[in-house]
């Protein structure tokens, strides 16, 4: 008898790349188990994870269609509307990833320390998010603990690896400023820890994690 694959749910299909890259026996990251299902909240989750992997970056994630659509932002967001920050789109992540802070073991995909840098909700400023993502221009507002107000993501081209490249830009509003938010507010919004402190707690590489903490910030 021929076994037919079940028709994948959109969420399941969208998490295939995420799951294929990771060995959940070896990484503490969430597996994106389809039985976990999307959250039944009316507000859409927004999260940024500071990730000291082979290169330091900030993973910017917006809940959409039961997953977290994700971009890696090497320099992190800027509050200054004149500054455009490169944001490379990466694979969709499960919603449960929005709770993850800890250490991905060396040798695993994305090995390094992850810090929950900001979290809150987002609101589209476009009538059709799918169309906006397709077109490559998504306007939205953030309501996080560190970031607020109006922002835009604009797709420019694909990089060498075929990943779509976007620019993350702050719109002019009362939340725009020239303050260096990454340097001034480096701590986790859930644990109040620095990268080095998270690495120590989870038996990661403390010295390597500390390279992602701002110079002059002191581990407690
Ligand atoms: Mn990452």
């Amino acid at each position: 008898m021929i076994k037919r694959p079940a028709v994948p749910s959109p969420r399941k299909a969208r998490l295939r790349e995420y799951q294929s890259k990771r060995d959940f026996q070896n990484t503490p990251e969430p597996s994106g188990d389809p039985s976990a299902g999307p959250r039944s909240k009316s507000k859409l989750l927004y999260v940024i994870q500071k990730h000291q992997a082979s290169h330091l970056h900030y993973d910017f994630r917006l809940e959409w269609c039961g997953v977290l659509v994700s971009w890696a932002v090497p320099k992190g967001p800027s509050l200054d509307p004149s500054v455009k920050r490169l944001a490379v789109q990466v694979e969709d992540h499960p919603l449960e990833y929005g709770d993850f802070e800890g250490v991905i073991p060396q040798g695993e995909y994305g090995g390094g320390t992850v810090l929950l840098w900001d979290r809150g909700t987002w609101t589209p400023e476009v009538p059709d998010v799918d169309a906006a993502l397709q077109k490559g221009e998504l306007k939205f507002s953030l309501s996080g603990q560190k970031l607020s107000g109006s922002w835009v993501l604009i797709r420019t081209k694909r990089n060498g690896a075929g990943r779509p490249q976007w620019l993350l830009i702050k719109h002019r509003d009362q939340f725009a400023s020239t303050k260096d938010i990454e340097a001034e507010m480096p701590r986790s919004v859930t644990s109040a820890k620095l990268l080095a402190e998270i690495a120590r707690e989870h038996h990661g590489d403390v010295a390597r994690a500390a390279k992602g903490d701002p110079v002059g910030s002191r581990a407690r």
Side-chain angles (χ1 to χ4, degrees):
M1 209 171 92
I2 299 162
K3 215 176 176 186
R4 286 175 188 276
V7 177
S9 69
R11 181 173 188 271
K12 207 169 162 187
R14 292 185 72 149
L15 292 179
R16 202 167 285 141
E17 184 181 350
Y18 171 86
Q19 291 168 332
S20 72
K21 285 182 162 169
R22 292 168 176 82
D23 179 352
F24 297 106
Q25 304 292 330
N26 293 326
T27 178
E29 297 164 286
S31 65
D33 178 355
S35 67
R39 308 181 324 162
S40 57
K41 279 193 173 175
S42 57
K43 295 225 168 185
L44 295 165
L45 177 67
Y46 137 72
V47 60
I48 294 180
Q49 279 147 324
K50 186 175 181 181
H51 185 183
Q52 173 73 64
S54 47
H55 299 283
L56 178 71
H57 59 275
Y58 292 73
D59 287 303
F60 182 84
R61 311 190 197 279
L62 299 175
E63 175 182 357
W64 189 246
C65 291
V67 297
L68 291 170
V69 182
S70 297
W71 291 262
V73 185
K75 292 185 176 174
S78 173
L79 301 183
D80 182 345
S82 71
V83 176
K84 300 173 173 69
R85 287 283 159 87
L86 172 67
V88 180
Q89 193 170 356
V90 297
E91 74 275 18
D92 296 334
H93 279 51
L95 276 185
E96 308 89 274
Y97 211 92
D99 295 319
F100 180 72
E101 179 170 277
V103 168
I104 302 168
Q106 291 311 315
E108 299 301 313
Y109 183 73
T113 303
V114 177
L115 175 153
L116 269 166
W117 189 78
D118 196 19
R119 196 162 62 173
T121 60
W122 75 283
T123 309
E125 291 181 356
V126 292
D128 184 336
V129 173
D130 286 316
L133 286 169
Q134 195 81 34
K135 187 177 154 223
E137 185 173 343
L138 177 64
K139 293 175 180 163
F140 54 93
S141 61
L142 297 177
S143 180
Q145 295 184 47
K146 293 179 185 172
L147 303 189
S148 298
S150 184
W151 296 74
V152 64
L153 273 163
I154 297 170
R155 191 173 57 227
T156 55
K157 57 170 184 180
R158 287 180 188 275
N159 70 8
R163 291 282 189 193
Q165 290 192 4
W166 301 64
L167 296 171
L168 175 64
I169 310 164
K170 180 79 196 76
H171 277 147
R172 285 182 200 285
D173 61 17
Q174 73 268 35
F175 301 105
S177 89
T178 53
K179 150 173 161 177
D180 184 349
I181 186 90
E182 284 81 8
E184 289 186 27
M185 304 187 84
R187 289 182 182 273
S188 164
V189 290
T190 51
S191 67
K193 289 183 161 75
L194 295 168
L195 283 165
E197 295 164 337
I198 293 165
R200 187 187 304 127
E201 185 190 350
H202 295 272
H203 313 291
D205 185 336
V206 177
R208 191 159 157 258
K211 288 184 186 158
D213 289 322
V215 176
S217 60
R218 293 201 167 223
R220 292 193 279 230

